[in-house]
Amino acid sequence: MLKLNITFWGQFENKTVESRFLHSIKDEIISQNRIGILSAGIAYLCVAIADYYKLGNVLDFRIALACRFAFFIFCYYCFWLFKKAINYRIFLNHTILFAIINYIVLFYLIYLLNPDKHIDTIDTVTVPFITLLLFVFIQLKLIYLIINACLATAVYIYFLSVLFITPVDFIINIIAIMIVLIVAGTFLARFIRISQRRQYFQSLEIKQLNNNLTNEIDERIATQDTLEYTFNELSSSIKYAKNLQMTFMPPEFAIENISNDYFILFKPRDE
């Protein structure tokens, strides 16, 4: 009997079952990450319009545009690479690399686009927002996402406290927000992963029930065939015995020649 045992990280405790599950949804995971990574690259590129209105056509804007375009090229490369039949390990490595490069580019752009060392409100919420999006739209091991988000939070606090002029109470609020988002993202990603595994587990149960039902039907058909064969054999034996018995009976006209007043009591067994 199958048992649904899932760890805190949203994985099957049985490694064999987990491996089969990942193999069964490999194409789905790759497709989701392809779309998520390409969408991130397009979004980074489109935000360059806001950079232009903020800085104008200055050197910092051109450097930021070059960074965004390079990141978009990397995202498109991942999108193209994931379309091919690649090794799952290569896919995971590139996805992890995307998550790391994503934060590197983001922090560099924030530093570059705020030369006065006073971070804008939009740039302030960008890091928490992207952190939550990674938890929802990127399929990785949950522990990898948590480590990546914690490292990003540490770097972000360093930026705010050292490289930017930021009040202490604001930094404390940002820390609280990031902690809440990491916890919320963890449980949201965990819920998604558990839901996927529950569906897979239910499909295994249905498949097992179908196999059991098929085996039971095959057994009943075999039993029915055996009974039909036995019945036919018995019927043939009875008919053969009846024919033998009938051969000892004299013809009816022979009895009529002897007497018209007669009757025949004929009760063969098993008829």
Side-chain angles (χ1 to χ4, degrees):
M1 184 66 182
L2 297 174
K3 292 184 178 180
L4 180 62
N5 296 321
I6 297 180
T7 65
F8 173 80
W9 306 109
Q11 297 177 326
F12 286 114
E13 288 184 356
N14 189 311
K15 293 183 179 180
T16 302
V17 177
E18 177 68 18
S19 177
R20 291 176 180 174
F21 165 75
L22 292 176
H23 181 75
S24 68
I25 65 167
K26 174 185 174 182
D27 293 339
E28 179 182 342
I29 293 177
I30 293 177
S31 178
Q32 179 177 339
N33 283 14
R34 286 183 72 226
I35 296 173
I37 290 174
L38 183 63
S39 299
I42 295 174
Y44 268 79
L45 199 59
C46 292
V47 176
I49 299 174
D51 296 344
Y52 177 79
Y53 283 104
K54 180 179 180 179
L55 298 178
N57 190 20
V58 297
L59 179 61
D60 287 345
F61 166 74
R62 290 194 289 270
I63 295 175
L65 182 60
C67 289
R68 293 182 184 277
F69 186 74
F71 182 67
F72 169 76
I73 293 298
F74 171 76
C75 292
Y76 184 79
Y77 164 74
C78 291
F79 179 81
W80 171 81
L81 180 65
F82 294 171
K83 187 177 181 180
K84 301 166 60 179
I86 63 172
N87 182 275
Y88 193 69
R89 176 59 59 181
I90 296 176
F91 160 74
L92 289 179
N93 291 339
H94 278 76
T95 304
I96 294 173
L97 184 62
F98 159 78
I100 295 173
I101 293 177
N102 168 71
Y103 279 118
I104 293 175
V105 173
L106 178 61
F107 288 132
Y108 181 71
L109 290 175
I110 291 176
Y111 178 78
L112 193 66
L113 297 175
N114 295 276
D116 57 353
K117 306 308 176 187
H118 289 85
I119 189 168
D120 289 347
T121 303
I122 295 179
D123 292 334
T124 302
V125 300
T126 301
V127 175
F129 180 69
I130 289 181
T131 299
L132 185 60
L133 288 182
L134 286 178
F135 274 104
V136 176
F137 292 105
I138 297 300
Q139 286 280 353
L140 272 177
K141 285 187 175 181
L142 194 53
I143 185 65
Y144 294 162
L145 292 174
I146 294 174
I147 293 174
N148 190 52
C150 290
L151 291 176
T153 301
V155 174
Y156 189 39
I157 299 306
Y158 172 80
F159 262 64
L160 294 177
S161 58
V162 177
L163 302 181
F164 288 90
I165 303 173
T166 312
V168 176
D169 58 342
F170 183 80
I171 294 177
I172 294 175
N173 291 334
I174 289 296
I175 293 175
I177 291 174
M178 290 300 295
I179 292 175
V180 170
L181 286 180
I182 290 174
V183 173
T186 298
F187 280 96
L188 183 59
R190 181 175 181 270
F191 173 78
I192 293 173
R193 284 155 177 75
I194 290 177
S195 297
Q196 290 175 329
R197 282 158 179 80
R198 286 186 185 277
Q199 291 178 357
Y200 176 75
F201 183 78
Q202 290 174 355
S203 68
L204 288 182
E205 285 187 321
I206 293 173
K207 184 177 180 180
Q208 187 179 50
L209 290 174
N210 287 336
N211 290 336
N212 293 339
L213 183 59
T214 301
N215 293 335
E216 185 177 350
I217 292 174
D218 291 339
E219 290 178 0
R220 292 191 176 185
I221 291 176
T223 302
Q224 182 178 355
D225 291 341
T226 302
L227 291 175
E228 288 180 355
Y229 175 78
T230 303
F231 175 78
N232 292 332
E233 287 292 315
L234 290 175
S235 299
S236 299
S237 299
I238 292 172
K239 290 180 180 178
Y240 180 73
K242 180 182 178 181
N243 291 333
L244 286 178
Q245 292 173 339
M246 291 296 295
T247 57
F248 292 100
M249 293 291 297
E252 188 174 351
F253 68 88
I255 299 175
E256 289 179 351
N257 291 333
I258 298 173
S259 174
N260 291 328
D261 186 13
Y262 72 93
F263 68 91
I264 299 174
L265 179 62
F266 181 66
K267 297 179 63 177
R269 299 184 62 188
D270 300 326
E271 183 178 11

